[in-house]
Amino acid sequence: MPRLLILLMFVVLTGLCNRITAQIQPFELVQNTGLPDLAHSWVSWGDYDRDGDLDVAICGDSTGIPRTYVFRNDSGVFTNSGFVLPQLTNGSIEWGDADNYGWLDLLITGNDVNGDIKAFVIPFSAGHPIAAPIPLPYAVSYGQAHWGDYNNDGRLDILMAGNNLAKILRNDGCLVFTEIPSQLPAVTNAACNWVDYNNDGQLDAFVCGHVTVGDVSKLFRNDHGMFTEVAIQPQGFLGLSLGSSKWADLDGDGDMDLLISGVDTASGYLLVYKNKGNDIFEMMDNYTFNLFSTNMDIADYDNDGRPDIMVNGKVHSCGGTAVTLLYHNEGDMIFNNYYTDMEGIAQGGTAFADYNNDGFTDFLCSGISAYGLTATRLYRNTSGTSMFFTNTPPFQPENLSALQSGNSVTLRWNKAIDAETPSAGLMYNIFIGSGIDSADILGPMSDLGTGFRRIVGTGNTNQDTTWTVSGLEQGTYYWSVQAIDNGFNSSVFAPVESFAFILNGITSPHGSRPKIYPDPCSDRLFISGISSLPTEVSVYDSKGSLVLKCLVADGIDVSKLQPGLYFAKIQTAEGIFRTSFIKK
């Protein structure tokens, strides 16, 4: 008998008529949230206004018309921000700090009202969009796009897959993204993830979906920016499409395992692969459960330290009934279906988050209901101490150290401990700044003072306790690290450490970034971080139009520029440098 109980089909076929009441329901539907009902949707939690609670970005369609919204969370009350955003559906939306200004930006991709496929980065500052959406060179629909720093230069890059392509876009700074060569498969009805599956301190890429000869699920190892397909042993992953994929340390042994759902030519599956190291993955469950158009998320909803699974989708039979299923992690890679009375949802987004900061992980889903209607449902975790205790944050990591080797620096720390999540299962998140109270080199997407995590997800080092950083300018840097548990609760940052970085024979590494200050600015700008005086500075607006060109003597007069995001090209005797700044 597979470990994912065959009770599932009983739930699908008879659950709507015969309610099982023996189990206490851990989630309660929140009424009148004001969140929009959208189909073919995606949801992302992120504290974009930095007020200490998680807000919601959502895209999808209503009556076939694409919609995109950001809803502000004020102590559990959601209000439409009214931001003018690209209206897209059949894609994804995700928060991430793309420019290291400390404010979350939006990555969105999908179909517009004309059916054209578009993708944009929308820069934010002070809780508002600060420029027109910046188009990306590639876009996907019926797929996803995700942030991740694959080359450890402190800037978030992009992995995307869908509509017969899969691409990695390098963030070159100033919100300029460039495709890098890769052998990723051209997939449709796709899912993708960044993951450091082998704990070598480099983000690898996973892609699944449909290709011309069937369905594929492939993992690509990152070797210093070169992506090579991994020969999974003892046999490759089952190829799936029209589904979802997630990576998490499901067994608490210190490496990331794979959970993947979808269909092949025969049936639908929910598969659990245990990462045994050395490119060996053992299929723990091969469970045919006849669902398609699935989405899922992973988090520890009951605070026992083990990540659980929420999956929704559409049943092939029963006229395409939608279901939402909760699988409880019993340990030892065993997952049991826990019956809930949550409404069935398919063809949409799924996301765990503690939206009301009570220490219990809540759940948001959006898509098409079992009745064929658009639906967005927020479920509050109401179990409290009647079933389990509040999740407590991990202790901060200790024994931070930094060691330069050549023109890179390796940061190290000890594993932290936590009352719920095993020490081996904790994740970590670092920041690096040019000043003791800044994170302008590598942003953690967390509050530097409290440690509050402004997104819901793994830390930027996954589970690694060492992280190598490249592309630094010569100077002194400040850094720290926090721990994150399986409920996505985060510790405070460890006491800030510093290191001095000295370039060894390289005058201008790729991606050099001079410092423009003050940033944001009012009337005048100054430049530091370069060894020779600029000979010319050109300033461009977010649409790429030249708005100012000058020689630098005693700063740059920007008093006549309108408020917003600008990019500066700084020409010196050493070469050309590019950076960005905000005009207040």
Side-chain angles (χ1 to χ4, degrees):
M1 177 183 293
R3 292 173 178 168
L4 292 171
L5 300 180
I6 301 177
L7 176 62
L8 169 61
M9 290 311 299
F10 173 80
V11 171
V12 170
L13 297 174
T14 67
L16 295 177
C17 300
N18 302 291
R19 293 295 184 187
I20 300 173
T21 59
Q23 290 176 310
I24 299 174
Q25 294 296 303
F27 294 96
E28 175 184 85
L29 179 65
V30 180
Q31 303 289 343
N32 303 318
T33 64
L35 297 174
D37 295 329
L38 297 177
H40 313 110
S41 52
W42 198 271
V43 295
S44 180
W45 293 97
D47 182 15
Y48 80 90
D49 55 359
R50 304 202 318 194
D51 67 348
D53 50 24
L54 295 168
D55 312 296
V56 178
I58 181 170
C59 65
D61 62 74
S62 176
T63 62
I65 305 300
R67 311 283 187 187
T68 304
Y69 302 95
V70 168
F71 274 76
R72 188 181 67 251
N73 176 5
D74 296 311
S75 301
V77 177
F78 293 91
T79 304
N80 187 354
S81 67
F83 298 149
V84 178
L85 303 167
Q87 306 293 292
L88 300 179
T89 186
N90 300 319
S92 68
I93 192 167
E94 186 170 283
W95 293 104
D97 186 1
D99 49 19
N100 288 333
Y101 277 126
W103 296 89
L104 296 181
D105 311 303
L106 270 177
L107 168 63
I108 183 171
T109 187
N111 294 109
D112 67 11
V113 69
N114 298 315
D116 296 329
I117 304 171
K118 301 289 181 64
F120 301 93
V121 172
I122 306 166
F124 276 65
S125 182
H128 296 275
I130 57 171
I134 297 171
L136 293 172
Y138 294 94
V140 298
S141 63
Y142 298 98
Q144 306 166 12
H146 297 294
W147 296 113
D149 180 12
Y150 81 88
N151 56 356
N152 294 359
D153 66 351
R155 295 187 287 251
L156 290 177
D157 311 297
I158 296 171
L159 170 66
M160 62 171 59
N163 61 276
N164 291 310
L165 65 80
K167 301 288 185 182
I168 295 173
L169 304 181
R170 185 184 65 231
N171 184 345
D172 292 327
C174 300
L175 299 179
V176 174
F177 293 86
T178 304
E179 179 192 3
I180 70 164
S182 71
Q183 301 300 315
L184 303 184
V187 287
T188 59
N189 296 321
C192 61
N193 311 96
W194 292 110
V195 60
D196 183 10
Y197 84 96
N198 55 358
N199 293 340
D200 68 348
Q202 302 177 91
L203 290 182
D204 312 297
F206 176 81
V207 175
C208 64
H210 184 75
V211 296
T212 54
V213 294
D215 300 297
V216 297
S217 299
K218 294 181 179 293
L219 178 62
F220 292 82
R221 183 176 56 251
N222 177 5
D223 296 309
H224 304 288
M226 299 295 294
F227 288 83
T228 305
E229 184 177 349
V230 178
I232 300 298
Q233 301 297 324
Q235 61 183 5
F237 301 129
L238 181 65
L240 296 177
S241 62
L242 279 171
S244 183
S245 58
K246 291 288 182 179
W247 290 80
D249 187 1
L250 299 173
D251 53 0
D253 65 350
D255 54 26
M256 292 289 186
D257 310 297
L258 172 62
L259 181 69
I260 180 173
S261 66
V263 298
D264 65 3
T265 55
S267 191
Y269 299 89
L270 177 63
L271 306 178
V272 179
Y273 286 94
K274 176 180 173 61
N275 184 351
K276 304 185 76 171
N278 299 316
D279 299 344
I280 299 172
F281 285 82
E282 179 183 358
M283 183 187 288
M284 305 302 294
D285 289 282
N286 182 350
Y287 187 45
T288 305
F289 72 161
N290 211 28
L291 287 185
F292 69 102
S293 294
T294 53
N295 206 327
M296 60 185 169
D297 202 11
I298 301 175
D300 178 16
Y301 82 90
D302 61 346
N303 297 343
D304 64 357
R306 297 184 295 264
D308 309 294
I309 305 166
M310 193 78 79
V311 58
N312 54 32
K314 201 170 184 179
V315 185
H316 274 292
S317 57
C318 304
T321 298
V323 295
T324 297
L325 304 165
L326 173 63
Y327 287 98
H328 181 260
N329 187 342
E330 307 291 344
D332 298 323
M333 304 292 282
I334 299 172
F335 293 86
N336 286 335
N337 176 248
Y338 189 109
Y339 179 78
T340 74
D341 58 6
M342 289 187 292
E343 184 175 353
I345 299 286
Q347 301 182 55
T350 301
F352 280 112
D354 181 8
Y355 83 94
N356 56 358
N357 291 336
D358 65 353
F360 302 104
T361 303
D362 312 298
F363 176 69
L364 175 67
C365 56
S366 179
I368 300 176
S369 74
Y371 304 100
L373 303 176
T374 56
T376 296
R377 301 290 182 259
L378 175 63
Y379 289 90
R380 182 172 56 245
N381 188 334
T382 57
S383 299
T385 55
S386 64
M387 292 182 65
F388 45 83
F389 294 100
T390 302
N391 186 21
T392 58
F395 289 89
Q396 65 191 31
E398 297 180 340
N399 294 331
L400 281 63
S401 64
L403 178 65
Q404 180 172 345
S405 177
N407 286 293
S408 62
V409 173
T410 298
L411 308 176
R412 300 179 185 274
W413 56 92
N414 288 355
K415 286 184 178 293
I417 59 174
D418 182 62
E420 293 84 25
T421 300
S423 181
L426 291 172
M427 300 164 284
Y428 299 94
N429 192 42
I430 63 176
F431 77 82
I432 305 174
S434 59
I436 195 169
D437 57 353
S438 72
D440 56 333
I441 305 302
L442 194 162
M445 293 182 282
S446 298
D447 186 284
L448 300 188
T450 66
F452 176 75
R453 191 90 163 108
R454 294 189 177 117
I455 64 168
V456 181
T458 60
N460 52 25
T461 78
N462 279 221
Q463 292 180 301
D464 297 316
T465 56
T466 66
W467 199 251
T468 300
V469 184
S470 60
L472 295 175
E473 291 286 330
Q474 184 164 297
T476 299
Y477 295 90
Y478 302 84
W479 74 286
S480 185
V481 59
Q482 66 179 159
I484 301 171
D485 66 20
N486 282 329
F488 300 112
N489 202 349
S490 53
S491 75
V492 297
F493 282 94
V496 175
E497 297 285 341
S498 66
F499 62 88
F501 179 71
I502 301 173
L503 284 171
N504 295 323
I506 300 179
T507 57
S508 298
H510 172 76
S512 297
R513 286 172 290 181
K515 178 75 173 178
I516 282 188
Y517 66 96
D519 186 14
C521 63
S522 296
D523 298 322
R524 210 157 193 81
L525 274 178
F526 301 90
I527 300 173
S528 65
I530 50 179
S531 58
S532 61
L533 290 175
T535 58
E536 186 177 80
V537 176
S538 301
V539 177
Y540 301 84
D541 63 18
S542 61
K543 298 179 180 180
S545 299
L546 180 67
V547 295
L548 178 64
K549 192 171 186 178
C550 63
L551 299 177
V552 178
D554 183 24
I556 305 169
D557 183 3
V558 294
S559 60
K560 295 182 180 179
L561 297 182
Q562 295 296 313
L565 176 68
Y566 292 88
F567 304 110
K569 183 175 73 173
I570 304 167
Q571 187 165 338
T572 74
E574 297 173 342
I576 295 176
F577 301 84
R578 291 178 172 84
T579 188
S580 56
F581 65 91
I582 295 173
K583 171 65 163 55
K584 292 192 293 186

